[in-house]
Amino acid sequence: MHLLDCPTQDYAWGTAQDIPFFLARPSTGAPVAEVWMGTHPLGPAMVDGAHGKVPLSDVAGELPFMMKILSAARPLSIQVHPNAELARKGFEAEEAAGVPLDAPHRLYKDANPKPEMVYALTPFDTLVGFRPTAEILRILSPLDHPVAQRMVDQLTRNPGFHGIVRMLERLLMEPPSVHEVHQVVALCHARLGLGLDIKRAYASVVEIAPHYPGDVGVIVSMLLNRLTLQPGEAAYLGAGIIHAHMSGMCVEVMVNSDNVLRAGLTPKHLDPAGVVASIDAEMSRLARVSPELVGTSTDVFEPGEGEFGLAVCQTSQADRDGVELPEIDARILVCTGGEVELTNAHGETLRLTRGSVMYAGPEDGALRVRGTGEVAQAYHPAQEGRRRKMLDLV
């Protein structure tokens, strides 16, 4: 077992206090958005070696999954992650063109797809997946503005999933002016003030607009479902799912990738064509993940097609012998609350407090957790294609 030293990312949408407090570090007042736990070359975790710190990959090899702690004070970009084929082709094309891996306009940082799951640590707000056609028309029709009415006309002529994608494509390729976006925001604000919101669509516009004034993403937000996860709830975002996290703190588990195609609400490089192609390549699906209870203390989430899994274990002094975590070859574990002790099959122990991260390999065997706290374990499922029940939201 190895304690990990994990890098943080200081994206502007992060919070100044939450992640430093989680890691038991003083806040500098600057935003901290993510903690990366894995072997991705853009942010590898480090372990103690014979001559100092070495990347986790020196001990574990390249892991197929990664885990993050994410904390958002304001909305992230509207984005989509590519599927395996699009990721491979995009990565190969940018490599052949000699685009530096850290270039601001680089889109494909690796050749992997990036399905992901979020597990809420606090109430977590997100926009994810398209609303149904009828709901979008109910939202847009009362807005007396040419931009909204053009969208209504287009979707009325071509309803359904592919019609919504075509409407999004036109919005991104021919975005409304900053002045027009401001006018639509004012109309949403007026509807909201009259108590006439529709499933928080106008509220989303009013909340996002001050952070990204005049951005086309403010209009796009009305097309997306608003979802709030309570602590302990999870949602799966497969490839091709358009989304924009709004606020809150979560554990993210994903394939070992950093491929993000953005469509708005960001100063970073946009790729409208790539976003539309990724959505077109996958049927847009949005789902909460219903866990399987193992024993009395561990929730196991294994969505998707066996890309990754997450086991969340809560333990207390009532568990006199501790709780055994599901045995997996390679694991990354983070203590999300309290203080616990991990013991491997050889009797070796590591003590974790909130924010501590560790790696356990196949040689460690089954891990037993003792203490009072919560531990989240990310891993690659042993059974390919084993699926947990997912409940569609739309």
Side-chain angles (χ1 to χ4, degrees):
M1 300 185 291
H2 300 270
L3 283 173
L4 302 183
D5 184 3
C6 298
T8 58
Q9 306 291 347
D10 59 354
Y11 309 135
W13 47 261
T15 57
Q17 302 289 340
D18 291 355
I19 286 181
F21 179 72
F22 183 83
L23 298 174
R25 299 175 184 172
S27 171
T28 65
V32 184
E34 295 178 343
V35 182
W36 283 27
M37 299 169 276
T39 59
H40 196 282
L42 291 178
M46 308 296 286
V47 301
D48 287 327
H51 304 288
K53 296 285 187 180
V54 298
L56 175 59
S57 56
D58 285 8
V59 173
E62 293 297 330
L63 298 176
F65 61 89
M66 69 183 299
M67 183 161 55
K68 297 179 182 179
I69 300 295
L70 180 150
S71 182
R74 59 188 177 93
L76 281 66
S77 60
I78 293 177
Q79 58 187 254
V80 172
H81 304 306
N83 64 18
E85 180 181 3
L86 292 174
R88 178 182 57 78
K89 290 180 178 179
F91 180 74
E92 289 175 353
E94 290 191 317
E95 286 289 283
V99 181
L101 196 61
D102 58 354
H105 62 287
R106 177 84 186 224
L107 296 172
Y108 296 90
K109 310 296 179 64
D110 49 70
N112 298 325
K114 195 190 174 190
E116 61 188 28
M117 182 177 68
V118 295
Y119 173 85
L121 296 175
T122 68
F124 191 80
D125 256 340
T126 184
L127 300 173
V128 54
F130 291 123
R131 299 175 186 266
T133 296
E135 192 171 301
I136 293 174
L137 292 175
R138 284 181 58 216
I139 291 163
L140 295 174
S141 294
L143 302 180
D144 186 16
H145 192 277
V147 170
Q149 295 311 308
R150 280 197 303 270
M151 295 169 67
V152 168
D153 293 342
Q154 184 178 357
L155 189 56
T156 301
R157 291 193 305 268
N158 185 16
F161 172 76
H162 293 291
I164 297 170
V165 176
R166 300 282 75 78
M167 182 172 63
L168 173 69
E169 182 175 30
R170 182 175 178 182
L171 264 179
L172 299 181
M173 300 302 184
E174 304 171 21
S177 69
V178 169
H179 180 63
E180 288 175 318
V181 174
H182 289 328
Q183 290 177 323
V184 172
V185 171
L187 291 170
C188 291
H189 200 286
R191 299 286 294 178
L192 187 62
L194 294 171
L196 297 174
D197 204 355
I198 299 171
K199 295 188 178 179
R200 297 191 285 173
Y202 305 142
S204 296
V205 168
V206 170
E207 290 172 31
I208 293 169
H211 298 293
Y212 304 97
D215 193 292
V216 65
V218 176
I219 307 294
V220 174
S221 73
M222 288 188 286
L223 310 181
L224 308 183
N225 295 286
R226 178 76 177 263
L227 170 66
T228 300
L229 296 174
Q230 296 302 322
E233 294 182 333
Y236 176 72
L237 288 73
I241 301 293
I242 188 168
H243 61 281
H245 298 323
M246 298 274 287
S247 63
M249 192 169 182
C250 72
V251 175
E252 277 193 314
V253 189
M254 63 199 69
V255 170
N256 189 27
S257 174
D258 192 38
N259 288 328
V260 179
L261 308 177
R262 298 177 177 88
L265 305 185
T266 180
K268 294 182 179 180
H269 184 75
L270 303 183
D271 184 27
V275 166
V276 172
S278 291
I279 296 172
D280 262 341
E282 302 284 342
M283 179 57 72
S284 183
R285 186 180 184 190
L286 162 65
R288 291 181 188 266
V289 185
S290 180
E292 178 180 291
L293 183 63
V294 176
T296 58
S297 304
T298 304
D299 286 330
V300 174
F301 302 84
E302 288 185 8
E305 298 295 339
E307 305 104 335
F308 51 75
L310 182 72
V312 181
C313 173
Q314 298 187 63
T315 183
S316 71
Q317 299 302 324
D319 303 300
R320 295 181 180 180
D321 297 325
V323 177
E324 188 170 285
L325 285 166
E327 184 175 355
I328 302 293
D329 284 351
R331 295 145 281 180
I332 291 178
L333 301 96
V334 58
C335 179
T336 55
E339 184 173 340
V340 298
E341 184 179 80
L342 276 293
T343 305
N344 68 8
H346 310 292
E348 300 166 331
T349 63
L350 272 181
R351 184 166 293 276
L352 305 182
T353 57
R354 187 172 188 255
S356 300
V357 186
M358 61 167 280
Y359 166 79
E363 66 279 4
D364 288 300
L367 300 178
R368 187 166 291 276
V369 189
R370 293 180 176 86
T372 301
E374 181 181 83
V375 174
Q377 171 181 277
Y379 58 92
H380 188 261
Q383 293 176 267
E384 291 289 341
R386 183 182 179 193
R387 298 180 67 126
R388 294 284 173 241
K389 183 181 180 183
M390 292 194 293
L391 305 176
D392 284 334
L393 300 181
V394 295

